[in-house]
Amino acid sequence: MAARKQLVLGAVFYGVGGPGQHHTWLSPEIPGDASVDIRWYIARAQQAEAAKFDHIFIVDSQFITPDSPNHYLNRLEPLTLLSAVAVHTTNIGLVGTLTTSYNDPFNLARRLASLDLISGGRAGWNVVATGDGGTAGNYGRKEHYDYAARYGRALESVKVVQGLWDSYEDDAFPRDKERGVFFDKSKQHPLHHVGEHFQVVGPLNIERSPQGQPVIFQAGDSDEGRDLGASIAEAIFTHAATVEQAVAFRTDLRARAAAKGRDPDHVLIVPGFNPIIADTDEEARAIEAERVGGKDFDRALKELGRPFGWHDFTQYDLDAPFPELGDAGARSFKTQAEGIKKLAREHNLTLRQVVQRSIDSQRSPFVGSPLTVANEIQRWFEAGAFDGLNIGVAVPSEFARFTDQVLPILRERGIARTEYASTTLRGNYGLPVPANVNAR
Amino acid sequence: MAARKQLVLGAVFYGVGGPGQHHTWLSPEIPGDASVDIRWYIARAQQAEAAKFDHIFIVDSQFITPDSPNHYLNRLEPLTLLSAVAVHTTNIGLVGTLTTSYNDPFNLARRLASLDLISGGRAGWNVVATGDGGTAGNYGRKEHYDYAARYGRALESVKVVQGLWDSYEDDAFPRDKERGVFFDKSKQHPLHHVGEHFQVVGPLNIERSPQGQPVIFQAGDSDEGRDLGASIAEAIFTHAATVEQAVAFRTDLRARAAAKGRDPDHVLIVPGFNPIIADTDEEARAIEAERVGGKDFDRALKELGRPFGWHDFTQYDLDAPFPELGDAGARSFKTQAEGIKKLAREHNLTLRQVVQRSIDSQRSPFVGSPLTVANEIQRWFEAGAFDGLNIGVAVPSEFARFTDQVLPILRERGIARTEYASTTLRGNYGLPVPANVNAR
Ligand SMILES: Cc1cc2nc3c(=O)[nH]c(=O)nc-3n(C[C@H](O)[C@H](O)[C@H](O)COP(=O)(O)O)c2cc1C
Ligand SMILES: Cc1cc2nc3c(=O)[nH]c(=O)nc-3n(C[C@H](O)[C@H](O)[C@H](O)COP(=O)(O)O)c2cc1C
């Protein structure tokens, strides 16, 4: 069951090669320094906007090691980046990742509200709590917050930030030059928040934008992560390997949202995919085989360490059983780490087999001719697997395969838009403008 | 004695009316919502760039009350703002104010480095420690840091941020697609900083820009503030009412810098002015009389409270002696507060007289015909009063009086530039690119 008639479409930036896109930086279409070249981001965003995409999405992290994937190593900070993109685009939504573990809510509120005004109501905030445990060391902490503190802070942060965003009623600034009245101070409202993690007096020093408040996004797999998403998110980013898994995730999230008294149709589920599209199914599969086969095994071995707090797997015999790791990962990507350990245990896998499975799991479910891919997307959408999808935008010609060959089919079938409905992100999603809690 | 041949020229944004510019929001030339309209900032920056100004400068604060001046009440966050301006300008420097009291150094380093790359080497950081004591309440603190902690954090922050900016040697990213080498990990350097206020492991996830590092600015009056400026600043923003006062300030700062082993010529002193320029001296003085006379006494009474932690002066008899205030202001703008108390004591002033003096002290020293103003600026420059000046840019026609009528005279005399020397801020200032401490 699809909750909406038309797909939400997002273009995701992993820098120069990310999950499932490690090959991208080698593409002759991409400048070597793309991940720090604002002109590249602007051009890619304009390409997505020309195809009437709802949003672009910038991932982020605050911790790297010499072995981090290329796209983490050298990249622009999301809001600085999006602000520059904002003034070279007009309709597309601008979704930036900012962590609640290592930012003060007052600063988060200001920066997102600024982007929202600069873009005329197109800002979105991907709320993350940070998975990489090593991030703590960049912020004066010995250890990363545990799951309870991490998600407790995330929930409270969002509430504080949203409270600050309502500091002014919509008519707080008459700016009446004739009467000399700039401001109506009775319409300014401090927050006086006192909570478990934060105390913030307020008010903010910035008014609301045309969409009322930036749209809240979330991405997290654990039970705590899903609960947070169900509580606060208006859109949820995720991964999905099969239609069954995607339907189960979406059903679960909608049920959790409903249980919290929210309208599940106001929680859009948007997994990310890297479709492989060619003239024929055979050609597409050949490209896929080359990519999956060509993927550097050593790099995959290193990246396997990430959910375990960048545990070093090169120290083990590849053909011995998957090693005992104790509680490595408890403060990093717990769900992912536990999932890998369980898989290895249940199937008695060697380390080499686990790495191979992780390589295989990054295969895209959408591989084939434009018609095949369009059919599959439609099937997933109608099965209730998602409200829309994020597509990697890195390689212009690959992205153009989607926009120029797949999208027209989806448009003809009425499940992709032909024109923007609005100049705001909420407007294009069909989400309501949140009422100002201070409005009388 | 002028240390340099040509003036540094900056355009300062106080939003819609700031110190000495309270009338600006009423100008028919300024949209009522200018302070949150990015198109307005872009247009003003382009106007300054057309006149070959070195930089624009964005002030900031994180604390307001219902009685805050208009331009504080509703404005964009500086780096989000400057990033949008960066992609609509090509040569002008972009200086943003960010406080070290309420930002993590890792976040400061990233955002400033991003702006520096986005702008191709035009970023500057005005390092402030925050004067408004009430800011603490927006960041979960009962009280603002005292002077020692405030300036201790500022100094250590700058050192940490600069250390992070050197995380990569200039050739750390070969991006050699043929050999498949994106990154040379031997050229990435963590920081491992352990100090009194901060512990930061690093490395940063962003490379250096064409100017090496963003330029460091500072503005602070107290002894602690001057010492900080002498230690870290490459340019210092200040106010100046008389040429003697300005010469004394610059002489003091240069001596302090030299005592710290720095080259005083690499510490540019740049006070801010709002010149009043008209066709004749008489006309200019008439405009000034109207503005100073027209300045709202009540507003000045309220603003007098700011250095004393927004102390409420409306409770006192205006014609009684200036009240006893104890240590009000000790955690806000101490130097300014102490200066006012001393003045009142020494001259036996009433509260009304103190307010009147504060109104008078905001008079601009540069009032007259273009020739008069050009002569005065030259006299100050040659007396060693400044290395350049910041001019309020709010009202386009007033700013144009300076750029179109005064600047040509200064150019003819060889003390203002006719063309940009560089595309970087350092290049235009004539400041050296700092060596990377990790380069071998
Ligand atoms: C599609 C997707 C995108 C994500 N993007 C980011 C990101 O940009 N930055 C980040 O720190 N974490 C990101 N995450 C990680 C999540 O926020 C979360 O930490 C991770 O999924 C582990 O989930 P858990 O914390 O609930 O165990 C992303 C996750 C998904 C599924
Ligand atoms: C020209 C100028 C510009 C300033 N801009 C800011 C600003 O944007 N934000 C801020 O918090 N403080 C700003 N300040 C205040 C100083 O950082 C400092 O707090 C103040 O001058 C008091 O000095 P003291 O802290 O050394 O006593 C500015 C000061 C001057 C002189």
Side-chain angles (χ1 to χ4, degrees):
Chain A
M1 153 237 45
R4 46 190 297 126
K5 292 215 189 69
Q6 294 189 326
L7 289 161
V8 164
L9 289 175
V12 55
F13 287 78
Y14 295 114
V16 285
Q21 294 212 304
H22 290 281
H23 64 292
T24 54
W25 87 268
L26 292 169
S27 162
E29 293 179 52
I30 301 188
D33 61 354
S35 71
V36 289
D37 181 352
I38 194 65
R39 292 164 304 181
W40 182 72
Y41 289 93
I42 290 171
R44 300 280 66 70
Q46 288 174 337
Q47 189 183 2
E49 185 168 75
K52 318 297 179 202
F53 267 51
D54 290 84
H55 63 259
I56 62 170
F57 163 39
I58 309 290
V59 300
D60 195 38
S61 74
Q62 303 78 37
F63 170 65
I64 52 167
T65 74
D67 294 316
S68 287
N70 291 342
H71 66 293
Y72 284 19
L73 280 171
N74 190 8
R75 59 180 177 192
L76 301 173
E77 186 280 328
L79 253 63
T80 336
L81 187 170
L82 287 172
S83 190
V85 172
V87 289
H88 282 287
T89 52
T90 50
N91 287 272
I92 199 161
L94 308 165
V95 185
T97 300
L98 292 169
T99 178
T100 52
S101 292
Y102 300 106
N103 280 295
D104 276 294
F106 196 85
N107 291 341
L108 289 171
R110 277 194 84 192
R111 298 177 58 210
L112 287 158
S114 287
L115 178 64
D116 208 25
L117 279 173
I118 287 171
S119 63
R122 295 185 282 136
W125 173 23
N126 181 32
V127 178
V128 300
T130 293
D132 271 318
T135 312
N138 288 332
Y139 295 90
R141 289 182 60 89
K142 286 231 168 57
E143 257 195 323
H144 190 26
Y145 298 101
D146 64 23
Y147 262 69
R150 207 193 287 179
Y151 281 107
R153 286 175 61 97
L155 182 63
E156 194 178 322
S157 280
V158 173
K159 298 290 167 201
V160 170
V161 168
Q162 289 178 323
L164 289 169
W165 284 339
D166 281 353
S167 291
Y168 298 91
E169 295 177 53
D170 287 347
D171 51 356
F173 294 96
R175 298 170 174 124
D176 184 331
K177 297 191 187 194
E178 264 169 48
R179 289 188 301 130
V181 181
F182 184 76
F183 172 55
D184 176 352
K185 66 170 96 166
S186 74
K187 305 204 163 169
Q188 179 196 58
H189 303 279
L191 187 65
H192 296 300
H193 171 86
V194 180
E196 192 184 334
H197 303 279
F198 304 107
Q199 292 85 45
V200 182
V201 176
L204 199 64
N205 52 359
I206 187 161
E207 68 182 74
R208 285 172 39 126
S209 87
Q211 70 173 346
Q213 294 189 349
V215 179
I216 302 291
F217 295 74
Q218 192 267 349
D221 297 329
S222 62
D223 203 53
E224 293 93 332
R226 290 184 185 208
D227 247 2
L228 176 69
S231 299
I232 55 139
E234 304 179 86
I236 293 181
F237 291 148
T238 180
H239 296 301
T242 65
V243 66
E244 294 76 22
Q245 184 199 328
V247 169
F249 180 84
R250 181 162 171 274
T251 306
D252 178 49
L253 261 294
R254 290 174 63 90
R256 287 180 195 241
K260 290 179 194 295
R262 298 184 60 207
D263 180 345
D265 289 348
H266 294 165
V267 185
L268 311 176
I269 308 296
V270 186
F273 299 99
N274 293 300
I276 300 179
I277 305 154
D279 291 344
T280 65
D281 289 354
E282 293 66 40
E283 275 178 58
R285 272 191 236 105
I287 295 171
E288 184 194 27
E290 197 200 358
R291 269 192 213 153
V292 174
K295 190 176 190 268
D296 186 340
F297 186 92
D298 290 344
R299 190 175 50 209
L301 183 66
K302 271 178 197 145
E303 281 179 26
L304 186 65
R306 187 174 186 231
F308 301 94
W310 289 106
H311 187 76
D312 176 15
F313 279 102
T314 63
Q315 65 187 295
Y316 302 113
D317 179 356
L318 280 170
D319 296 305
F322 189 76
E324 268 310 318
L325 294 168
D327 70 347
R331 290 194 177 229
S332 289
F333 298 90
K334 186 178 68 174
T335 316
Q336 215 181 323
E338 290 304 322
I340 293 167
K341 289 198 267 188
K342 185 157 165 257
L343 185 83
R345 211 182 315 113
E346 285 178 0
H347 299 269
N348 242 326
L349 302 180
T350 63
L351 176 55
R352 185 189 304 281
Q353 287 168 323
V354 168
V355 174
Q356 195 53 51
R357 288 211 182 200
S358 101
I359 292 173
D360 293 345
S361 76
Q362 286 181 27
R363 293 169 80 118
S364 174
F366 301 130
V367 179
S369 70
L371 186 64
T372 299
V373 169
N375 285 342
E376 275 299 283
I377 289 175
Q378 183 171 15
R379 182 170 78 87
W380 284 50
F381 185 46
E382 288 172 356
F386 49 60
D387 297 285
L389 58 174
N390 278 325
I391 306 278
V393 70
V395 186
S397 67
E398 290 181 19
F399 187 68
R401 283 267 188 186
F402 182 81
T403 58
D404 300 353
Q405 301 179 355
V406 177
L407 257 192
I409 303 174
L410 299 174
R411 286 202 181 109
E412 217 171 70
R413 297 178 185 176
I415 60 172
R417 75 154 59 91
T418 51
E419 241 335 309
Y420 282 109
S422 168
T423 56
T424 72
L425 181 53
R426 271 179 201 288
N428 285 315
Y429 284 167
L431 290 174
V433 172
N436 188 326
V437 295
N438 291 309
R440 279 151 303 191
Chain B
M1 154 238 48
R4 46 188 298 126
K5 291 213 191 71
Q6 294 189 326
L7 288 162
V8 164
L9 290 175
V12 56
F13 287 78
Y14 296 113
V16 286
Q21 294 212 305
H22 290 282
H23 64 291
T24 53
W25 87 269
L26 292 170
S27 162
E29 292 180 52
I30 300 188
D33 62 354
S35 69
V36 289
D37 182 351
I38 193 64
R39 292 165 304 181
W40 182 74
Y41 289 92
I42 291 171
R44 298 283 65 71
Q46 289 174 338
Q47 188 183 2
E49 186 168 75
K52 317 296 177 202
F53 266 52
D54 290 85
H55 65 257
I56 61 171
F57 163 39
I58 309 290
V59 300
D60 195 39
S61 74
Q62 303 77 39
F63 171 65
I64 52 167
T65 74
D67 294 316
S68 287
N70 292 342
H71 66 294
Y72 284 20
L73 280 172
N74 190 8
R75 60 181 177 191
L76 300 173
E77 185 279 329
L79 254 62
T80 337
L81 187 170
L82 287 172
S83 190
V85 172
V87 289
H88 283 286
T89 52
T90 51
N91 287 273
I92 198 161
L94 308 164
V95 185
T97 300
L98 291 169
T99 177
T100 53
S101 292
Y102 300 106
N103 280 295
D104 276 294
F106 196 86
N107 291 341
L108 290 171
R110 276 194 85 192
R111 297 176 59 210
L112 287 157
S114 286
L115 178 65
D116 208 25
L117 279 173
I118 287 170
S119 63
R122 295 185 280 135
W125 172 23
N126 180 31
V127 178
V128 300
T130 294
D132 272 319
T135 313
N138 288 333
Y139 295 89
R141 289 181 60 89
K142 287 232 168 57
E143 256 195 324
H144 189 25
Y145 298 100
D146 64 22
Y147 261 69
R150 208 192 286 180
Y151 280 107
R153 286 176 60 98
L155 182 63
E156 194 178 322
S157 280
V158 172
K159 296 291 168 201
V160 170
V161 167
Q162 288 178 323
L164 289 169
W165 284 339
D166 280 354
S167 292
Y168 298 91
E169 295 177 53
D170 287 348
D171 52 354
F173 295 96
R175 298 171 174 125
D176 183 331
K177 296 191 187 194
E178 262 169 48
R179 290 189 301 129
V181 181
F182 183 78
F183 172 55
D184 176 351
K185 66 170 97 166
S186 73
K187 304 201 164 172
Q188 180 195 58
H189 303 278
L191 186 64
H192 295 301
H193 172 86
V194 180
E196 192 185 333
H197 303 279
F198 304 106
Q199 293 86 44
V200 182
V201 177
L204 199 64
N205 51 359
I206 187 160
E207 70 184 75
R208 282 169 42 123
S209 87
Q211 70 172 346
Q213 295 189 348
V215 179
I216 302 291
F217 294 74
Q218 193 267 350
D221 297 331
S222 61
D223 203 53
E224 293 94 331
R226 289 183 186 210
D227 246 3
L228 176 69
S231 298
I232 55 139
E234 304 178 86
I236 293 181
F237 292 146
T238 180
H239 297 299
T242 66
V243 66
E244 294 75 23
Q245 183 199 331
V247 169
F249 180 84
R250 180 161 171 274
T251 306
D252 177 50
L253 261 294
R254 289 174 64 89
R256 287 181 195 242
K260 290 180 193 291
R262 298 184 61 207
D263 180 346
D265 289 349
H266 294 164
V267 184
L268 312 175
I269 308 296
V270 186
F273 298 99
N274 293 300
I276 299 180
I277 305 152
D279 291 344
T280 64
D281 290 353
E282 292 66 38
E283 276 178 58
R285 273 191 234 105
I287 295 171
E288 184 195 28
E290 196 199 0
R291 270 192 211 153
V292 174
K295 191 175 190 267
D296 188 337
F297 187 92
D298 290 344
R299 190 175 51 210
L301 183 66
K302 271 178 196 149
E303 282 177 24
L304 186 66
R306 186 171 186 232
F308 301 93
W310 290 106
H311 187 76
D312 177 16
F313 279 102
T314 63
Q315 65 189 295
Y316 303 111
D317 178 355
L318 281 169
D319 296 305
F322 189 75
E324 267 310 317
L325 293 168
D327 70 346
R331 292 196 175 225
S332 289
F333 298 90
K334 186 179 67 173
T335 316
Q336 215 181 320
E338 289 305 321
I340 294 167
K341 287 198 269 187
K342 185 157 165 260
L343 186 83
R345 211 184 313 115
E346 285 179 0
H347 299 269
N348 243 329
L349 302 180
T350 63
L351 175 57
R352 186 190 303 281
Q353 287 168 321
V354 169
V355 174
Q356 195 52 52
R357 287 210 181 201
S358 102
I359 293 172
D360 293 345
S361 75
Q362 287 179 26
R363 292 169 83 117
S364 173
F366 301 130
V367 178
S369 71
L371 186 64
T372 299
V373 170
N375 285 342
E376 274 300 282
I377 290 175
Q378 183 172 15
R379 183 170 76 87
W380 284 51
F381 185 46
E382 289 172 355
F386 49 60
D387 297 285
L389 57 174
N390 279 325
I391 306 278
V393 69
V395 185
S397 67
E398 289 180 20
F399 187 67
R401 284 266 187 187
F402 181 81
T403 58
D404 300 353
Q405 301 181 356
V406 177
L407 257 192
I409 304 173
L410 299 174
R411 288 203 181 109
E412 218 171 69
R413 299 179 184 176
I415 59 170
R417 77 153 60 87
T418 50
E419 240 337 306
Y420 282 110
S422 169
T423 56
T424 72
L425 181 54
R426 272 179 201 288
N428 284 316
Y429 284 166
L431 289 174
V433 171
N436 187 326
V437 294
N438 291 308
R440 279 155 303 194

